Amino acid sequence: EPEVTQTPSHQVTQMGQEVILRCVPISNHLYFYWYRQILGQKVEFLVSFYNNEISEKSEIFDDQFSVERPDGSNFTLKIRSTKLEDSAMYFCASSERLRGVYTQYFGPGTRLTVL
Amino acid sequence: GQNIDQPTEMTATEGAIVQINCTYQTSGFNGLFWYQQHAGEAPTFLSYNVLDGLEEKGRFSSFLSRSKGYSYLLLKELQMKDSASYLCACYFDRGSTLGRLYFGRGTQLTVWP
């Protein structure tokens, strides 16, 4: 069964450093998302992406964040200058649009720890 | 946001039935998902409801009442492996273009032998 994959599974970085989180969505999906989950809290939407453009972003997704689809398979989330409060699990998701519904399938996540 | 509420924790025994409730703001509501999340893992899709009524899928069923802003996930013949967090997530059509999901805090279900 096709699945979303993410690398790395864990990333530890120093405050102020840049990180890039990578995702390979399901191959026939056209809609891509990033969510995050701070430990013990709910899953929160960051951004959605379609046709090489950001479709929607939340208030969390400020100028320190960017997304890119550099080739036909990868979808990346970059955090330019990490802060302590960026420590969280970051989930990539992808979907197709079937009968008007975007059923999102999530990757296994990248656990980001900012020291 | 969107005030999606679900109980924090529930417990049940193997073989039993458990119902996990979820309430949400009805304004702009456009669909509801249930996901299962084991500790440290990704949410996995269980069900989707947009019309009133019950959707059955094996041991799991999900119910929706749009007028009441209420859904439940029913798990039958519980197994130990069903111990997980169950996440209620909604679409709202207020300017959302690609199905941005709003999640509840999740209900941690523990199944005892």
Side-chain angles (χ1 to χ4, degrees), chain A residues 16-74:
Chain A
Q17 295 296 303
E18 174 182 286
V19 294
I20 298 176
L21 310 182
R22 291 185 164 79
C23 169
V24 179
I26 294 172
S27 62
N28 64 328
H29 286 184
L30 300 177
Y31 309 97
F32 314 119
Y33 313 79
W34 284 99
Y35 290 82
R36 77 171 187 192
Q37 186 175 31
I38 294 170
L39 190 64
Q41 297 190 25
K42 61 185 174 182
V43 177
E44 300 173 291
F45 170 83
L46 293 176
V47 66
S48 57
F49 190 88
Y50 168 69
N51 202 26
N52 277 322
E53 290 189 335
I54 289 176
S55 176
E56 184 179 359
K57 56 185 180 179
S58 72
E59 56 284 353
I60 302 168
F61 195 91
D62 61 23
D63 292 345
Q64 294 301 312
F65 290 86
S66 62
V67 288
E68 197 178 32
R69 187 153 163 83
D71 54 44
S73 59
N74 289 286

Side-chain angles (χ1 to χ4, degrees), chain A residues 33 35 37 45 55 102 104 107, chain B residues 35 37 42 91 97-99 101:
Chain A
Y33 313 79
Y35 290 82
Q37 186 175 31
F45 170 83
S55 176
Y102 301 93
Q104 292 169 43
Chain B
Y35 283 86
Q37 187 179 29
Y91 283 151
T97 49
L98 291 188
L101 288 175

Side-chain angles (χ1 to χ4, degrees), chain B residues 12 38 78 80-81 83 108:
Chain B
H38 285 100
L78 281 173
M80 300 289 288
K81 67 177 182 180
S83 292
Q108 182 63 46

